[in-house]
Amino acid sequence: QDLAKFGQAGPKHGSAPDGGSTDFLHLFVGIEKAMESCTVCDPWSAHEALRLGLLTEVVPALKIKGEYINNPMVRTDTWISKKTGEIIYGLPKKGERLAKGKELFKSGEVDLTRLDQAVEKMCTKLMMTFPNCLSKTINSIRKKKLEHWDANKESNRDWLALNMMTEAKAGFKAFNDGPKGNKEVDFVKMRQMLAQGLEWNEEMHRAISPQYQNTEV
C-alpha cells in the first residue's frame, strides 16, 4: 500500500544493513542509489520503490469521502520536473504542498482492502504454477543474496556483537527511549567527543542521547 516507506535504519541508529541490503540492494537499484540508501538512510516512498524496481505493485490505502486516492504526501501527479528535467515521481512533497498533503491525510481513513485484494491476486497467480518449479525458481533468484550472506556471515555477526557495546547501544536506546520527534543521538557532539579521544562509556552515552537531555526551556 502506498503509505508505506522503505529504507535503512543502519548508520542513523547504530548499525549497518549487513546480511540484507549490503548484499543485494546494489543489484536492484545500482551502486549509487544503494550507497545513498544504506548510508544516509533517507526512506523511499512506495511509489519511488516501485519505480526503482523493488516492488511488484502499489495500491492506494487512503480514502477521502469513500474514494481511494494516492498518498497525498508524495509526488504522483507528474513524472519529471518541468524546471530541472529530473525524475520526481514518488518523491516527498515539500513546503506548502507537503502541508496540504498532511492535512488531506488527516481528513481521510486508511482502508487496506485494496492491499488484501492485491495479495490474493498474486497468491492466485502463484497457485497456478507447478509448486516444485516455482520453489526452484525462487531459490535460484535468491542465490546471489545467499552467496553474499554465506561469504560474510561470520564477520558480520562478530562485528554486530561488538558494536552492541558502543554505537548500537547508543543508537538503539535513543530510538527506543528518545522523546517523540527526537529519536537520534547528537551526531555532532558524538564526533567531537570521539575526535578528542574520549572512550565509549556511560558518560558519552548520556551526553549524546536525547532521552537524557533536559528539554525544559
Side-chain angles (χ1 to χ4, degrees):
Q1 52 90 3
D2 77 343
L3 299 177
K5 294 182 179 180
F6 299 84
Q8 311 300 325
K12 277 286 187 182
H13 297 289
S15 189
D18 284 330
S21 292
T22 54
D23 290 345
F24 67 86
L25 189 60
H26 64 287
L27 300 176
F28 298 157
V29 302
I31 186 63
E32 287 304 321
K33 292 298 290 185
M35 187 69 75
E36 179 185 39
S37 175
C38 290
T39 54
V40 301
C41 305
D42 288 340
W44 293 323
S45 72
H47 290 281
E48 187 173 11
L50 177 67
R51 174 168 61 79
L52 293 172
L54 294 174
L55 302 178
T56 303
E57 181 182 0
V58 169
V59 295
L62 183 66
K63 274 186 172 181
I64 302 293
K65 297 180 180 179
E67 297 292 332
Y68 282 105
I69 67 167
N70 286 342
N71 185 341
M73 293 171 286
V74 301
R75 296 296 302 269
T76 58
D77 57 320
T78 186
W79 189 260
I80 63 173
S81 167
K82 294 180 179 179
K83 291 183 178 180
T84 66
E86 296 176 300
I87 297 175
I88 60 174
Y89 184 87
L91 296 183
K93 292 180 179 178
K94 299 178 181 179
E96 186 177 344
R97 284 185 174 182
L98 178 58
K100 290 182 178 179
K102 289 181 177 180
E103 287 300 317
L104 187 58
F105 173 77
K106 292 178 181 178
S107 69
E109 63 173 337
V110 175
D111 185 336
L112 300 180
T113 300
R114 292 279 295 273
L115 176 61
D116 292 337
Q117 292 172 345
V119 171
E120 288 291 335
K121 180 181 177 181
M122 176 57 70
C123 289
T124 301
K125 287 183 176 181
L126 294 174
M127 180 182 68
M128 304 302 289
T129 63
F130 286 103
N132 287 336
C133 296
L134 176 63
S135 178
K136 176 62 171 66
T137 299
I138 293 173
N139 288 334
S140 294
I141 291 174
R142 295 183 69 244
K143 275 187 177 179
K144 284 187 171 59
K145 178 186 184 308
L146 293 175
E147 288 170 359
H148 282 284
W149 169 248
D150 288 337
N152 298 298
K153 58 187 177 183
E154 288 85 5
S155 60
N156 286 344
R157 287 169 178 164
D158 291 345
W159 180 86
L160 289 168
L162 292 171
N163 188 55
M164 288 302 299
M165 301 300 295
T166 56
E167 294 182 357
K169 180 180 179 181
F172 290 7
K173 287 181 69 66
F175 182 78
N176 187 66
D177 300 335
K180 184 177 181 180
N182 187 12
K183 298 286 188 177
E184 298 175 4
V185 302
D186 186 332
F187 292 110
V188 174
K189 181 177 288 187
M190 176 193 69
R191 287 179 175 272
Q192 289 173 337
M193 295 179 75
L194 291 173
Q196 294 169 11
L198 300 179
E199 297 181 355
W200 278 100
N201 53 31
E202 189 63 24
E203 181 181 353
M204 180 182 289
H205 284 298
R206 287 184 170 273
I208 66 175
S209 300
Q211 65 269 29
Y212 298 119
Q213 308 311 310
N214 185 353
T215 58
E216 295 182 2
V217 178

CSV table of all heavy atoms in Angstrom, one decimal, residues 14-15 17 22 28 58 62 90 105 117 135 146 149 161 166 170-171 176 188 192:
chain,number,residue,atom,x,y,z
A,14,GLY,N,22.7,3.2,14.7
A,14,GLY,CA,23.7,2.4,15.4
A,14,GLY,C,24.0,1.0,14.8
A,14,GLY,O,24.4,0.2,15.6
A,15,SER,N,23.8,0.8,13.5
A,15,SER,CA,24.0,-0.5,13.0
A,15,SER,C,24.4,-0.3,11.5
A,15,SER,O,24.7,0.8,11.0
A,15,SER,CB,22.8,-1.4,13.1
A,15,SER,OG,23.2,-2.7,12.8
A,17,PRO,N,23.4,-2.3,7.6
A,17,PRO,CA,22.4,-3.3,7.0
A,17,PRO,C,23.1,-4.5,6.4
A,17,PRO,O,22.8,-5.0,5.3
A,17,PRO,CB,21.8,-2.4,5.9
A,17,PRO,CG,22.8,-1.5,5.5
A,17,PRO,CD,23.6,-1.1,6.7
A,22,THR,N,23.2,-4.6,2.1
A,22,THR,CA,24.6,-4.6,1.6
A,22,THR,C,24.9,-5.8,0.7
A,22,THR,O,25.8,-5.7,-0.1
A,22,THR,CB,25.6,-4.6,2.8
A,22,THR,OG1,25.3,-5.8,3.6
A,22,THR,CG2,25.5,-3.4,3.6
A,28,PHE,N,19.8,-4.3,-7.5
A,28,PHE,CA,18.5,-3.9,-7.9
A,28,PHE,C,18.4,-2.5,-8.4
A,28,PHE,O,17.8,-2.2,-9.4
A,28,PHE,CB,17.5,-4.1,-6.8
A,28,PHE,CG,17.3,-5.5,-6.3
A,28,PHE,CD1,16.8,-5.8,-5.1
A,28,PHE,CD2,17.6,-6.6,-7.2
A,28,PHE,CE1,16.7,-7.1,-4.7
A,28,PHE,CE2,17.5,-7.9,-6.8
A,28,PHE,CZ,17.0,-8.2,-5.5
A,58,VAL,N,1.8,-1.3,-6.4
A,58,VAL,CA,1.4,-0.4,-5.3
A,58,VAL,C,-0.1,-0.1,-5.5
A,58,VAL,O,-0.5,0.2,-6.6
A,58,VAL,CB,2.2,0.9,-5.4
A,58,VAL,CG1,1.7,1.9,-4.4
A,58,VAL,CG2,3.7,0.6,-5.0
A,62,LEU,N,-5.5,5.2,1.2
A,62,LEU,CA,-6.2,6.3,1.9
A,62,LEU,C,-7.5,6.6,1.2
A,62,LEU,O,-7.5,6.7,-0.1
A,62,LEU,CB,-5.3,7.5,1.9
A,62,LEU,CG,-5.9,8.8,2.6
A,62,LEU,CD1,-6.0,8.5,4.1
A,62,LEU,CD2,-5.0,10.0,2.3
A,90,GLY,N,7.1,10.0,-7.1
A,90,GLY,CA,7.3,9.2,-5.9
A,90,GLY,C,8.1,9.9,-4.8
A,90,GLY,O,8.3,9.4,-3.7
A,105,PHE,N,-4.4,14.0,4.5
A,105,PHE,CA,-4.2,12.6,5.1
A,105,PHE,C,-5.0,12.5,6.4
A,105,PHE,O,-5.7,11.5,6.6
A,105,PHE,CB,-2.7,12.4,5.3
A,105,PHE,CG,-2.5,11.1,6.1
A,105,PHE,CD1,-2.6,9.9,5.5
A,105,PHE,CD2,-2.2,11.1,7.4
A,105,PHE,CE1,-2.3,8.7,6.2
A,105,PHE,CE2,-2.0,10.0,8.2
A,105,PHE,CZ,-2.0,8.7,7.5
A,117,GLN,N,-6.7,-7.4,-1.6
A,117,GLN,CA,-7.1,-7.9,-2.9
A,117,GLN,C,-5.9,-8.2,-3.8
A,117,GLN,O,-5.9,-9.2,-4.5
A,117,GLN,CB,-8.1,-6.9,-3.6
A,117,GLN,CG,-9.4,-6.8,-2.9
A,117,GLN,CD,-10.2,-5.6,-3.5
A,117,GLN,OE1,-9.7,-4.7,-4.2
A,117,GLN,NE2,-11.5,-5.6,-3.2
A,135,SER,N,9.3,-23.2,-6.5
A,135,SER,CA,10.2,-23.2,-5.4
A,135,SER,C,11.7,-23.1,-6.0
A,135,SER,O,12.5,-22.3,-5.5
A,135,SER,CB,10.1,-24.4,-4.6
A,135,SER,OG,11.0,-24.4,-3.5
A,146,LEU,N,22.2,-15.1,-1.1
A,146,LEU,CA,22.7,-16.2,-0.2
A,146,LEU,C,24.2,-16.4,-0.3
A,146,LEU,O,24.9,-16.6,0.7
A,146,LEU,CB,22.0,-17.5,-0.5
A,146,LEU,CG,20.5,-17.5,-0.2
A,146,LEU,CD1,19.8,-18.8,-0.7
A,146,LEU,CD2,20.2,-17.3,1.2
A,149,TRP,N,25.7,-13.7,1.7
A,149,TRP,CA,25.5,-14.0,3.2
A,149,TRP,C,26.5,-15.0,3.6
A,149,TRP,O,27.1,-14.9,4.7
A,149,TRP,CB,24.1,-14.4,3.4
A,149,TRP,CG,23.8,-14.9,4.8
A,149,TRP,CD1,23.5,-16.2,5.1
A,149,TRP,CD2,23.9,-14.2,6.0
A,149,TRP,NE1,23.4,-16.3,6.5
A,149,TRP,CE2,23.6,-15.1,7.1
A,149,TRP,CE3,24.2,-12.9,6.4
A,149,TRP,CZ2,23.6,-14.8,8.4
A,149,TRP,CZ3,24.2,-12.5,7.7
A,149,TRP,CH2,23.9,-13.5,8.7
A,161,ALA,N,27.9,-8.0,17.1
A,161,ALA,CA,28.0,-8.3,18.5
A,161,ALA,C,28.9,-7.2,19.2
A,161,ALA,O,28.5,-6.7,20.3
A,161,ALA,CB,28.6,-9.7,18.8
A,166,THR,N,28.9,-0.2,21.8
A,166,THR,CA,29.2,1.2,21.5
A,166,THR,C,28.1,1.9,20.8
A,166,THR,O,27.2,2.4,21.4
A,166,THR,CB,30.5,1.2,20.7
A,166,THR,OG1,30.4,0.4,19.5
A,166,THR,CG2,31.7,0.7,21.5
A,170,ALA,N,24.0,3.1,21.9
A,170,ALA,CA,23.6,4.5,22.0
A,170,ALA,C,22.4,4.7,21.0
A,170,ALA,O,21.4,5.3,21.3
A,170,ALA,CB,24.7,5.4,21.6
A,171,GLY,N,22.6,4.2,19.8
A,171,GLY,CA,21.5,4.4,18.7
A,171,GLY,C,20.2,3.7,19.0
A,171,GLY,O,19.2,4.3,18.9
A,176,ASN,N,14.6,3.9,20.9
A,176,ASN,CA,13.5,3.3,21.8
A,176,ASN,C,13.1,4.2,22.9
A,176,ASN,O,11.9,4.3,23.2
A,176,ASN,CB,14.1,2.0,22.4
A,176,ASN,CG,13.0,1.3,23.1
A,176,ASN,OD1,12.0,0.8,22.6
A,176,ASN,ND2,13.1,1.2,24.5
A,188,VAL,N,26.9,15.4,16.0
A,188,VAL,CA,28.0,16.3,16.0
A,188,VAL,C,28.8,16.2,17.3
A,188,VAL,O,30.0,16.1,17.4
A,188,VAL,CB,27.5,17.8,15.8
A,188,VAL,CG1,28.6,18.8,16.0
A,188,VAL,CG2,26.9,17.9,14.4
A,192,GLN,N,32.6,15.0,17.9
A,192,GLN,CA,33.6,15.8,18.6
A,192,GLN,C,34.2,15.1,19.8
A,192,GLN,O,35.4,15.2,20.0
A,192,GLN,CB,32.8,17.1,19.1
A,192,GLN,CG,32.4,18.1,18.0
A,192,GLN,CD,31.6,19.2,18.5
A,192,GLN,OE1,30.9,19.1,19.6
A,192,GLN,NE2,31.6,20.3,17.8
